[in-house]
Amino acid sequence: MYVAKRTLYAFLIKFIFGRGTKQSNKLLLALLNDVFNVPKGLSLGTVEITNPLTFQTNVTDQYAILDIRAKVAGFGHVNLEMQRVNQRNIDKRSLYYGAKLFEEQLDKGNEYRDLKKVVTINFLDFSYFTTDMYYSCYRLMEKRTFEPYPDLLQLHFIEMPKFVRQDKENLIHPNDRMAKWIRFLTNEDDARWEEMANQDPIIENAVDMLRTVSMDREARMLAEAREKALKDINSIRGEGIEEGIREGKREIAKKMLMEGTDINFIVKMTELTQSEVLELKDELKR
């Protein structure tokens, strides 16, 4: 009944938290309260999604960014994103998105003194930082005295594989408020949905939203089309890398031929076939 979640992380988080509907905003606000550890009984202000998901969004485009940008009353601006693939640039990517949120505030005619806090939140489906902690929050500070810079920029990273591993080893504190969200986002066992829903009313709402997207034919088709597009581009990239490696071997073989190296030795060192090396030898004679 439910969408295969681990293949649809980015679309799923955008659909549940970034629709801009009353129910979606309620879930996003609850998530932010837990990420920022807002004291129980209190809450951040109202949220306004500034880039709501619509079915006109080209989610099948491999380059479409399914992040969530929100303005939180009395707090600032938040960019929330789910990253499945480690492109080894999430530290720079997150910093760039944060900088863009500052820039967008100035584009609207604000002055520097009017700039509001910017926070990026990155849910990662891979491990990135060397620490064993699954959750990291980076802020600016003076390097000698550790005096914090005015609280204008925060970069949050949630490395979900680390959480899953620690959760299996019962190392997650019972009062960890992000635990329920990460369990929801990483769950692959359909039998656990009702159990999770019964444990927390807000997660019950999230499960209801998941049920909605699972039964929505158009949403499923868009999600599956995006996944196919991503697989196709990753396949092309993989083929490109292999072709690049092979071309590199051919260039090495040519240089060895020009030096008069024995063909059998070239075959052994480059793993090209003997016929390929002989073809290269013929090319050099032309």
Side-chain angles (χ1 to χ4, degrees):
M1 289 293 292
Y2 293 96
V3 173
K5 292 174 55 53
R6 290 189 73 84
T7 62
L8 306 176
Y9 270 146
F11 181 86
L12 182 73
I13 199 168
K14 182 76 173 181
F15 187 94
I16 292 179
F17 300 105
R19 294 289 302 276
T21 63
K22 182 177 180 180
Q23 185 181 15
S24 182
N25 286 357
K26 178 181 178 181
L27 288 170
L28 178 60
L29 184 59
L31 173 64
L32 295 178
N33 281 332
D34 286 334
V35 170
F36 300 137
N37 204 30
V38 176
K40 292 288 188 179
L42 300 178
S43 175
L44 296 172
T46 57
V47 297
E48 174 191 348
I49 304 297
T50 58
N51 64 335
L53 173 70
T54 67
F55 287 131
Q56 284 69 47
T57 302
N58 188 10
V59 297
T60 62
D61 182 353
Q62 51 159 322
Y63 298 111
I65 305 301
L66 296 184
D67 62 337
I68 297 170
R69 294 195 293 274
K71 185 163 58 175
V72 184
F75 179 80
H77 296 260
V78 174
N79 181 283
L80 188 150
E81 186 179 9
M82 178 76 75
Q83 272 294 311
R84 286 182 52 207
V85 180
N86 184 3
Q87 300 179 25
R88 296 177 174 81
N89 63 5
I90 192 62
D91 48 350
K92 298 177 179 65
R93 179 190 180 105
S94 183
L95 189 60
Y96 172 77
Y97 283 152
K100 288 291 288 183
L101 286 179
F102 280 121
E103 181 183 22
E104 289 172 9
Q105 292 181 61
L106 290 176
D107 286 344
K108 295 177 180 178
N110 293 327
E111 297 184 12
Y112 289 119
R113 64 171 176 267
D114 299 322
L115 288 176
K116 305 299 182 185
K117 178 193 298 187
V118 165
V119 177
T120 67
I121 302 172
N122 305 273
F123 284 89
L124 310 180
D125 195 28
F126 50 87
S127 296
Y128 194 79
F129 298 101
T130 56
T131 176
D132 290 332
M133 300 184 301
Y134 80 85
Y135 167 62
S136 303
C137 174
Y138 293 89
R139 297 170 57 181
L140 299 174
M141 66 173 58
E142 209 288 323
K143 69 176 185 179
R144 292 165 299 180
T145 65
F146 304 109
E147 179 183 357
Y149 195 79
D151 191 17
L152 291 172
L153 177 65
Q154 296 181 11
L155 308 174
H156 297 250
F157 300 90
I158 296 97
E159 300 169 85
M160 295 189 294
K162 291 181 180 179
F163 173 89
V164 171
R165 183 172 62 253
Q166 293 171 24
D167 200 25
K168 288 180 179 177
E169 298 173 358
N170 296 316
L171 298 177
I172 302 299
H173 195 281
N175 295 329
D176 187 324
R177 293 171 58 179
M178 280 193 289
K180 62 178 180 285
W181 295 107
I182 304 174
R183 289 175 185 134
F184 171 76
L185 291 170
T186 57
N187 181 46
E188 294 180 304
D189 183 359
D190 281 351
R192 290 198 61 207
W193 293 123
E194 296 307 320
E195 174 189 342
M196 295 170 69
N198 291 333
Q199 290 175 350
D200 192 294
I202 198 66
I203 296 298
E204 182 180 12
N205 290 340
V207 171
D208 287 341
M209 287 281 281
L210 177 61
R211 187 180 294 115
T212 298
V213 70
S214 298
M215 293 188 296
D216 188 310
R217 182 173 179 272
E218 186 176 13
R220 288 182 65 93
M221 289 177 63
L222 284 170
E224 289 164 3
R226 175 175 173 82
E227 178 62 18
K228 182 180 183 301
L230 291 174
K231 285 183 177 178
D232 287 347
I233 193 62
N234 286 335
S235 176
I236 292 171
R237 284 173 177 165
E239 292 170 3
I241 291 172
E242 290 179 6
E243 181 60 30
I245 293 173
R246 190 162 194 81
E247 186 59 32
K249 290 180 177 181
R250 289 167 58 87
E251 290 301 317
I252 292 172
K254 284 182 181 181
K255 291 179 180 179
M256 295 176 77
L257 286 168
M258 292 170 65
E259 294 291 333
T261 307
D262 179 72
I263 289 178
N264 290 330
F265 183 72
I266 296 174
V267 169
K268 180 179 179 181
M269 296 304 295
T270 63
E271 298 181 342
L272 296 174
T273 65
Q274 188 176 60
S275 61
E276 287 175 316
V277 175
L278 290 173
E279 286 179 10
L280 293 174
K281 186 176 182 180
D282 290 339
E283 287 180 16
L284 292 173
K285 292 178 180 179
R286 293 170 192 165

